[in-house]
Amino acid sequence: MKKASIIMIIGSLLLLGLFKFPLWNIMLGAPQYPDPLGMNIYIDGIKGVSEFDLQNIDGLNHYIGMKTIPKADEMWEFSMFPKVIFGMAMLGVIIGLLGYFEKVSYKYFLGWFLFMSVLGILGMYDFNNWLVDYGGNLDPHAIIKVTNADGTPMSYKPPLIGFKKLLNFDVTSLPHTGGYLMFIGMSLTLVAFWLGRKTSLNKKT
Amino acid sequence: MKNLLTSSIAMFVILLGFTSCNNGNKSGSKSGALASNIAEKVYVAPGEYDSHYAFLSGGYSGNVTVYGLPSGRMFKEIPVFSQFPTSGYGYSEETKPMLNTSHGFIPWGDAHHPDISQSKGELDGRWLFINENNTPRIARLSLTTFETEEIIEVPNSAGNHSSSFVTENTEYVVAGTRFSVPIPQRDMPIKDYKGNFQGALSFISVAPETGNMDIKFQVLMPGFNYDLSHPGRGKSHGWFFFTTYNTEEANTLLEVNASQNDKDFIAAINWKKIEEYVNNGGGTMMPANYAHNVYDEHTHTATSTMKKEVRVVNPIEVPGAVYFIPTPKSPHGCDVDPSGEYIVGNGKLSANLTVHSFTKMLDAIENKKFAGEAYGIPILNFEDVLAGVVEQPGLGPLHTEFDGKGNAYTTFFISSEVVKWKLGTWEVVDRKPTYYSVGHLTIPGGNSGKPQGKYMFAMNKITKDRYLPTGPEMEHSAQLYDISGDKMELLLDFPTHGEPHYAAAMEAGIIKAQSQKIYKLADNKHPYAAKSDADTKVVRDGKNVHIYLTTIRSHFSPDNIEGIKVGDKVYFHVTNLEQDFDVPHGFAVIGQNNSELLVMPGQTKTSVWEPKQVGVWPFYCTDFCSALHQEMQGYIRVSAANSDTPIKWSLGEDIE
């Protein structure tokens, strides 16, 4: 159980990587942009991959009437996410410590994982909602208006994950270092659960 | 046993057959398979990069052109000494001072010998230096922005030809005079040349961090013609070598009168010794008048300062600093091998190539074995200093470079060829024709302690070429050779711009990585910059009207301007607000007696317009900047001189 608890603590602490590394990354390449433009999505705001990328993405998007990329203070998520992540990391550490001193059972590890997964899915749902609005809520006076075959305005929503072709742009959306650290951390808490369960079963037999 | 012998002989004969077959292939050029093999060597597939940068002197275009090797593709022309309407260099208010001299504004120059800065004898890719021959100047180009950053005029000089070569750590960029002149300049009979004219060899210090140039001292030499020069390196670091011709000191019909002496000189200058002498207060400050022009990357503006004195050194007053090495027949190139031991004098009227030994030179100096003196400067014995002679290599040797593997490559103008020979044994190992009449050649890093082998290119002096004909006047041509094997292999003919007198080349890595993409708007310190739409305005100051104009895809702000009058002097200060790579905007207004402006992201440039007619005149963006480029236009209203139309401007709404 000690080993499992340590893994639980390490797993939870990996969440803190999100304060240093981006959660997600969206890259936009095009014939005119052999070096793609890109945005790194952190839990506390969006930054350009290169210094002026956000400004340049906004500059291009004004043609098709997209809103500018939100600043950190324009979305409640960017003040809430750091709190949630920090809270969950601390909660995980506390559960781990309690586990270490045999105060709680390994089942709490799974409980933390499930809670974190629910929060994660809510986060992704919220992120996707923003993408839908960002890609579809267009200025009616846009310089260039592109419609789908059925006459509805084309949406420029970037993919939540994976690749999509948007006009001349190749858009790739994938988790970044912070995101991967979070996934590894969450997996470790599952490992902790499994290990805790195994030790506990061994003890019983 | 006998069988073994016969079969061995048979094998040998067969092998011989293979070898001669190979030889046959090599000499019988252009067989199909071989030609395609060569094509592969110069083919840089779309999307791939050349392995080397080459910076070619633009000769009488006054500029520098940037090429890729091995493709021979020209990437860019960098304006240096000549006005360049493409970008507005020399036309915009910011860059006009770059072309200021003691003779006033000069729109043209004759660019000669580029050289890349060095650290510890290796190319460091920071700056490119190049000399202007006609109105003596040295320019320094940034290899980060690929722009001319500084030009310094060289006083007391005329025909700034034995220039602009840098010492091992870029302590100095050196500029020698081809034409000797009265120093100081004065009204005197030309026939009194001999003994009265002098030749100034200028040592221009280069600040290690900024690259800023300053004439540290000028050595006032006898009135010969100082043709080319090269720095000592390695063991000979601290010395500089200049070829001379016209040691006869003729002042007329030089083609005959300056070709009489059997030997002219290579002047060996111990600059470290003179530097020490100068640092201890040696030499004299002499009144002078020369321009020092510096372009500031942050104000995007050049300033021209007239300097009023220069330190001159009489070589006789610094014992042991200057010697003459006799060298046959009007030598042109003066080239030092990577080790610093051999100094090659390319006697252009000589049948042989003379190589001097630095070690022997020091020995002769130490033992005071002098053959005489010229104007108080000791002359060494030819035989004492001679390292060796390349016998009958060709006709009209001009210039030699080195591959760092013990080989030297010399151009021969008259016999139109490049000859490869071995240092030390002086044997000729290969020769290849050029098309036609080669001047200089370049090996990447060939003027450094560490040549970067593989390629060599030969720049031709006459314009006859092997391309489709284009009338009496043509561009020049160069040949690229692969020198990685024992024999040189001709790979490519490629056209060059102006008459390149030399080129500097290096592996692409350092420069490619540092090449700048934009100028940061936040760092723009131009006094007339408008860094956002809020800063745009039109300000009248008497007859001068300053328009603070911005550009961003795809509009000018403001784009409606009124209140200008005939007789006004209108300054369009155009700031490009873009911060994206490769989004320049251009500016031109109808009837402009000037060039366009091409404004890079983050930059501010100014064009002056003096409207002479009443009307409403359009201006527009000259650089296709976006899908809405054609919409990027504006109107400026010009009223009669005595009208009272108020100054007003707008964007997106009407002027009421």
Side-chain angles (χ1 to χ4, degrees):
Chain A
M1 188 64 185
K2 279 200 161 63
K3 206 164 154 193
S5 305
I6 289 168
I7 292 174
M8 178 68 202
I9 292 170
I10 293 171
S12 314
L13 285 176
L14 282 182
L15 257 60
L16 298 180
L18 285 167
F19 285 90
K20 169 95 176 128
F21 302 107
L23 169 68
W24 219 265
N25 167 273
I26 301 178
M27 296 302 290
L28 304 113
Q32 303 82 353
Y33 287 89
D35 296 329
L37 299 169
M39 51 176 124
N40 282 329
I41 299 164
Y42 291 77
I43 50 171
D44 59 351
I46 303 175
K47 288 183 190 161
V49 172
S50 299
E51 191 178 355
F52 298 106
D53 277 4
L54 293 192
Q55 177 179 335
N56 293 329
I57 292 168
D58 284 343
L60 294 168
N61 285 350
H62 100 277
Y63 287 112
I64 47 176
M66 286 171 79
K67 289 212 260 307
T68 55
I69 297 163
K71 305 280 178 296
D73 56 4
E74 289 168 2
M75 277 174 75
W76 62 267
E77 285 89 341
F78 291 130
S79 53
M80 181 58 81
F81 282 5
K83 289 174 192 147
V84 170
I85 294 296
F86 186 75
M88 283 307 290
M90 288 306 105
L91 186 63
V93 169
I94 289 165
I95 291 174
L97 282 173
L98 291 175
Y100 189 86
F101 295 112
E102 312 275 347
K103 300 281 193 235
V104 298
S105 96
Y106 63 86
K107 289 176 182 159
Y108 277 80
F109 298 173
L110 182 66
W112 183 93
F113 174 81
L114 292 174
F115 186 37
M116 185 63 208
S117 301
V118 170
L119 287 176
I121 289 164
L122 284 174
M124 295 291 271
Y125 175 75
D126 182 70
F127 178 47
N128 193 56
N129 276 350
W130 171 70
L131 288 178
V132 169
D133 180 69
Y134 178 62
N137 188 0
L138 305 175
D139 181 350
H141 299 293
I143 297 165
I144 300 171
K145 294 191 195 87
V146 185
T147 50
N148 297 314
D150 62 4
T152 54
M154 181 171 158
S155 164
Y156 302 100
K157 177 190 171 297
L160 184 63
I161 184 162
F163 172 84
K164 195 172 169 187
K165 183 102 186 155
L166 289 172
L167 296 182
N168 54 331
F169 276 91
D170 296 323
V171 186
T172 311
S173 173
L174 289 172
H176 205 285
T177 313
Y180 288 120
L181 286 175
M182 180 180 75
F183 296 136
I184 292 167
M186 287 175 68
S187 311
L188 282 180
T189 65
L190 263 189
V191 171
F193 162 72
W194 172 79
L195 209 63
R197 184 161 177 271
K198 205 171 94 179
T199 4
S200 150
L201 288 177
N202 282 347
K203 262 184 197 166
K204 277 174 195 164
T205 52
Chain B
M1 187 65 202
K2 199 183 169 190
N3 272 348
L4 193 68
L5 197 68
T6 22
S7 59
S8 303
I9 290 169
M11 277 297 281
F12 183 67
V13 171
I14 289 166
L15 279 176
L16 206 66
F18 272 114
T19 336
S20 52
C21 250
N22 280 344
N23 285 345
N25 264 347
K26 265 183 192 158
S27 52
S29 62
K30 291 195 181 167
S31 74
L34 194 71
S36 71
N37 184 25
I38 290 173
E40 277 169 23
K41 288 187 175 179
V42 296
Y43 181 67
V44 177
E48 287 178 9
Y49 294 107
D50 280 286
S51 61
H52 291 74
Y53 277 103
F55 300 92
L56 274 65
S57 128
Y60 36 61
S61 79
N63 295 336
V64 165
T65 49
V66 187
Y67 278 74
L69 301 178
S71 72
R73 295 178 293 188
M74 186 185 119
F75 301 143
K76 183 177 185 175
E77 179 174 2
I78 306 174
V80 185
F81 298 113
S82 292
Q83 282 182 309
F84 196 62
T86 308
S87 65
Y89 180 86
Y91 292 96
S92 72
E93 292 302 295
E94 289 79 5
T95 52
K96 278 182 196 167
M98 288 303 279
L99 303 182
N100 189 39
T101 72
S102 61
H103 306 271
F105 178 87
I106 295 184
W108 169 88
D110 183 12
H112 270 253
H113 312 122
D115 205 11
I116 297 171
S117 56
Q118 297 183 18
S119 299
K120 294 178 183 154
E122 292 184 33
L123 303 185
D124 62 21
R126 299 206 287 167
W127 306 300
L128 185 81
F129 297 90
I130 189 162
N131 55 318
E132 203 277 282
N133 192 58
N134 181 47
T135 304
R137 283 170 285 171
I138 301 288
R140 181 177 57 81
L141 282 63
S142 158
L143 293 183
T144 307
T145 61
F146 291 70
E147 298 281 352
T148 306
E149 284 192 332
E150 188 176 2
I151 295 179
I152 191 164
E153 193 178 355
V154 185
N156 297 329
S157 183
N160 175 33
H161 196 271
S162 35
S163 324
S164 48
F165 303 104
V166 298
T167 53
E168 197 167 271
N169 296 298
T170 323
E171 294 97 336
Y172 293 97
V173 54
V174 174
T177 193
R178 183 165 132 212
F179 311 127
S180 284
V181 287
I183 298 178
Q185 271 293 3
R186 57 192 179 271
D187 181 15
M188 64 176 281
I190 299 170
K191 68 173 172 55
D192 296 341
Y193 179 126
K194 198 164 187 166
N196 288 315
F197 284 28
Q198 286 176 296
L201 308 179
S202 307
F203 286 74
I204 301 168
S205 63
V206 180
E209 292 303 316
T210 59
N212 282 340
M213 298 186 287
D214 185 34
I215 300 177
K216 176 97 169 176
F217 57 86
Q218 293 188 311
V219 186
L220 298 188
M221 299 284 287
F224 310 150
N225 289 33
Y226 296 85
D227 200 12
L228 275 166
S229 66
H230 265 101
R233 54 179 59 99
K235 63 168 82 166
S236 53
H237 178 57
W239 290 78
F240 223 95
F241 304 95
F242 295 81
T243 43
T244 68
Y245 64 100
N246 192 22
T247 49
E248 299 85 347
E249 295 181 74
N251 53 275
T252 182
L253 196 61
L254 264 65
E255 64 173 320
V256 175
N257 293 333
S259 307
Q260 295 307 308
N261 287 352
D262 182 48
K263 293 189 175 63
D264 292 283
F265 299 126
I266 283 179
I269 312 265
N270 186 337
W271 59 260
K272 279 243 162 117
K273 196 161 252 183
I274 301 177
E275 181 185 58
E276 197 187 318
Y277 169 76
V278 164
N279 284 344
N280 290 325
T284 45
M285 291 308 276
M286 171 182 166
N289 188 32
Y290 58 103
H292 183 211
N293 311 331
V294 180
Y295 183 81
D296 183 314
E297 192 186 314
H298 297 300
T299 59
H300 300 284
T301 303
T303 49
S304 181
T305 313
M306 296 311 295
K307 298 197 132 187
K308 295 297 180 190
E309 54 180 12
V310 66
R311 184 175 296 275
V312 294
V313 172
N314 179 348
I316 313 171
E317 288 173 6
V318 196
V322 183
Y323 298 92
F324 284 135
I325 309 171
T327 304
K329 303 304 289 182
S330 305
H332 189 59
C334 177
D335 303 299
V336 182
D337 86 306
S339 73
E341 166 64 10
Y342 297 121
I343 304 133
V344 182
N346 304 265
K348 61 181 186 275
L349 306 178
S350 169
N352 297 336
L353 205 56
T354 309
V355 186
H356 302 296
S357 156
F358 178 70
T359 314
K360 285 186 166 182
M361 182 192 92
L362 286 189
D363 190 58
I365 291 170
E366 198 175 326
N367 295 311
K368 299 204 171 357
K369 293 203 268 183
F370 302 135
E373 60 173 50
Y375 294 101
I377 295 168
I379 302 171
L380 302 169
N381 280 303
F382 176 71
E383 291 77 15
D384 290 344
V385 181
L386 188 69
V389 172
V390 186
E391 299 281 354
Q392 308 278 336
L395 294 174
L398 284 188
H399 176 211
T400 302
E401 288 219 336
F402 309 90
D403 63 4
K405 292 181 260 179
N407 301 304
Y409 300 75
T410 303
T411 53
F412 291 83
F413 172 77
I414 299 171
S415 52
S416 185
E417 60 188 335
V418 177
V419 173
K420 177 182 178 181
W421 51 276
K422 268 196 160 36
L423 287 162
T425 67
W426 325 117
E427 58 180 319
V428 171
V429 289
D430 191 23
R431 59 176 69 242
K432 283 284 180 296
T434 64
Y435 305 90
Y436 304 92
S437 298
V438 62
H440 288 254
L441 55 71
T442 297
I443 292 172
N447 176 34
S448 78
K450 202 176 172 191
Q452 301 167 344
K454 186 124 175 93
Y455 298 115
M456 176 271 290
F457 58 98
M459 288 154 280
N460 298 308
K461 284 288 177 206
I462 67 171
T463 58
K464 283 195 200 79
D465 55 38
R466 306 195 287 184
Y467 311 126
L468 290 172
T470 57
E473 187 177 328
M474 289 164 282
E475 294 279 18
H476 281 74
S477 180
Q479 270 82 47
L480 178 73
Y481 301 84
D482 182 338
I483 56 164
S484 56
D486 290 339
K487 301 282 178 186
M488 295 177 275
E489 187 177 24
L490 173 61
L491 300 181
L492 184 72
D493 281 19
F494 63 99
T496 59
H497 185 50
E499 183 195 323
H501 297 282
Y502 185 46
M506 74 182 278
E507 284 166 356
I510 295 174
I511 299 176
K512 175 170 173 273
Q514 74 191 13
S515 175
Q516 196 165 316
K517 294 190 161 177
I518 59 165
Y519 298 98
K520 280 193 188 175
L521 189 62
D523 297 340
N524 183 328
K525 302 208 163 48
H526 193 293
Y528 290 99
K531 290 160 88 164
S532 73
D533 264 3
D535 299 334
T536 59
K537 58 188 171 186
V538 182
V539 179
R540 176 177 284 285
D541 173 20
K543 288 271 181 198
N544 295 333
V545 180
H546 293 276
I547 302 176
Y548 297 65
L549 197 68
T550 63
T551 60
I552 195 158
R553 281 163 290 177
S554 280
H555 60 266
F556 291 100
S557 177
D559 64 0
N560 282 199
I561 299 162
E562 295 189 352
I564 310 300
K565 296 174 194 171
V566 170
D568 282 347
K569 194 170 182 183
V570 181
Y571 292 81
F572 287 97
H573 305 288
V574 185
T575 303
N576 186 351
L577 299 181
E578 305 281 359
Q579 292 287 268
D580 198 355
F581 178 40
D582 188 36
V583 191
H585 291 289
F587 173 84
V589 59
I590 196 169
Q592 200 177 10
N593 299 100
N594 206 344
S595 81
E596 68 151 348
L597 297 174
L598 194 61
V599 192
M600 294 303 122
Q603 228 179 12
T604 303
K605 286 186 182 179
T606 302
S607 185
V608 169
W609 183 57
E610 293 175 83
K612 294 167 192 69
Q613 298 171 45
V614 166
V616 177
W617 307 103
F619 54 92
Y620 73 104
C621 174
T622 50
D623 179 287
F624 199 103
C625 55
S626 80
L628 294 157
H629 159 73
Q630 292 298 76
E631 283 75 7
M632 190 160 172
Q633 63 172 55
Y635 285 106
I636 184 161
R637 175 179 166 188
V638 177
S639 307
N642 56 4
S643 72
D644 53 3
T645 318
I647 290 271
K648 281 193 174 173
W649 64 94
S650 74
L651 168 71
E653 54 194 29
D654 289 336
I655 294 176
E656 297 298 340

